[in-house]
Amino acid sequence: MTVNLTKGQQISLTKTGGGELTVVRMGLGWKSAPRRGFLARLAAREIDLDASAVLFTGTTPQDVVFFQHLTSDDGSVRHNGDNRVGGAGEGGDDESIIVDLQRVPAQVDQIVFTVNSFTGQTFEEVDNAFCRLVDETTGQELARYTLTGGGRHTAQIMAKVQRSGAGWQMTAIGTAAQGRTFQDLMPAVAAHL
């Protein structure tokens, strides 16, 4: 059963019936919004959204996984590669980041997921954007956060997973930001640590 997250909502990453999740996938999907007015006859512009995961110890970044660094130094977090145009908006993942929660180093206590428009378009030009958390072992979608509302921002701090006792929990953040790369977003990310 999927939980449709709202901004700030938290969910535990404990399996129904007990036991901890071991591998999760944070998926990102989108499509270009159709043009309006005089430009409507032209094809939709390609929009290059990029998913990133920043690994933290407290408030100190330890590593980052994004389109130019596809695997964390310890191998626990992997990006599936850069999609520069999005999809058809049918709900599939256009980019994804897989996190092996059991292999994440003990000193890493949170992983923040961001999305940014590398080509600089705002979210007004994006349709059907979402992030979702999937149990990679079973393929079951656990949670979905819709990046709704459009807006003149070029990035969002999507969500984070953080250690909670012996397990992990996910928080949907959904905060608008400005930036073309994850580096541009670091001051906005700091507010959510």
Side-chain angles (χ1 to χ4, degrees):
M1 178 176 164
T2 298
V3 175
N4 287 312
L5 293 173
T6 58
K7 185 175 179 175
Q9 184 178 355
Q10 295 185 12
I11 63 166
S12 172
L13 299 186
T14 301
K15 286 185 177 184
T16 304
E20 296 292 324
L21 293 171
T22 55
V23 181
V24 295
R25 173 172 26 103
M26 181 63 71
L28 168 66
W30 76 95
K31 75 173 185 174
S32 299
R35 293 179 185 235
R36 292 175 176 79
F38 175 72
L39 299 176
R41 293 185 213 195
L42 302 175
R45 285 177 65 186
E46 292 180 351
I47 295 179
D48 181 6
L49 295 185
D50 289 324
S52 303
V54 185
L55 291 72
F56 287 90
T57 299
T59 59
T60 305
Q62 299 297 313
D63 201 352
V64 65
V65 174
F66 70 115
F67 70 92
Q68 290 183 329
H69 183 68
L70 295 176
T71 304
S72 61
D73 293 339
D74 59 59
S76 65
V77 182
R78 295 184 333 264
H79 193 297
N80 76 333
D82 194 17
N83 178 326
R84 297 182 180 171
V85 297
E90 302 296 325
D93 298 337
D94 298 314
E95 288 193 12
S96 62
I97 298 174
I98 296 172
V99 181
D100 185 338
L101 296 168
Q102 295 180 320
R103 292 184 55 203
V104 173
Q107 72 270 17
V108 173
D109 56 8
Q110 50 193 331
I111 302 170
V112 178
F113 297 92
T114 65
V115 59
N116 54 272
S117 173
F118 187 75
T119 44
Q121 291 99 335
T122 69
F123 275 78
E124 290 175 325
E125 300 175 70
V126 179
D127 269 351
N128 300 339
F130 66 87
C131 68
R132 67 188 192 128
L133 188 71
V134 176
D135 179 344
E136 194 67 7
T137 304
T138 65
Q140 178 185 6
E141 182 177 281
L142 304 170
R144 178 176 286 259
Y145 180 63
T146 302
L147 304 172
T148 59
R152 301 205 48 81
H153 53 281
T154 58
Q156 285 212 10
I157 315 304
M158 293 191 312
K160 70 177 177 177
V161 292
Q162 62 203 37
R163 291 189 191 273
S164 175
W168 292 84
Q169 68 180 19
M170 177 186 169
T171 302
I173 298 171
T175 298
Q178 297 294 333
R180 292 182 56 237
T181 67
F182 79 88
Q183 294 98 327
D184 298 337
L185 305 179
M186 292 306 282
V189 168
H192 300 283
L193 301 176

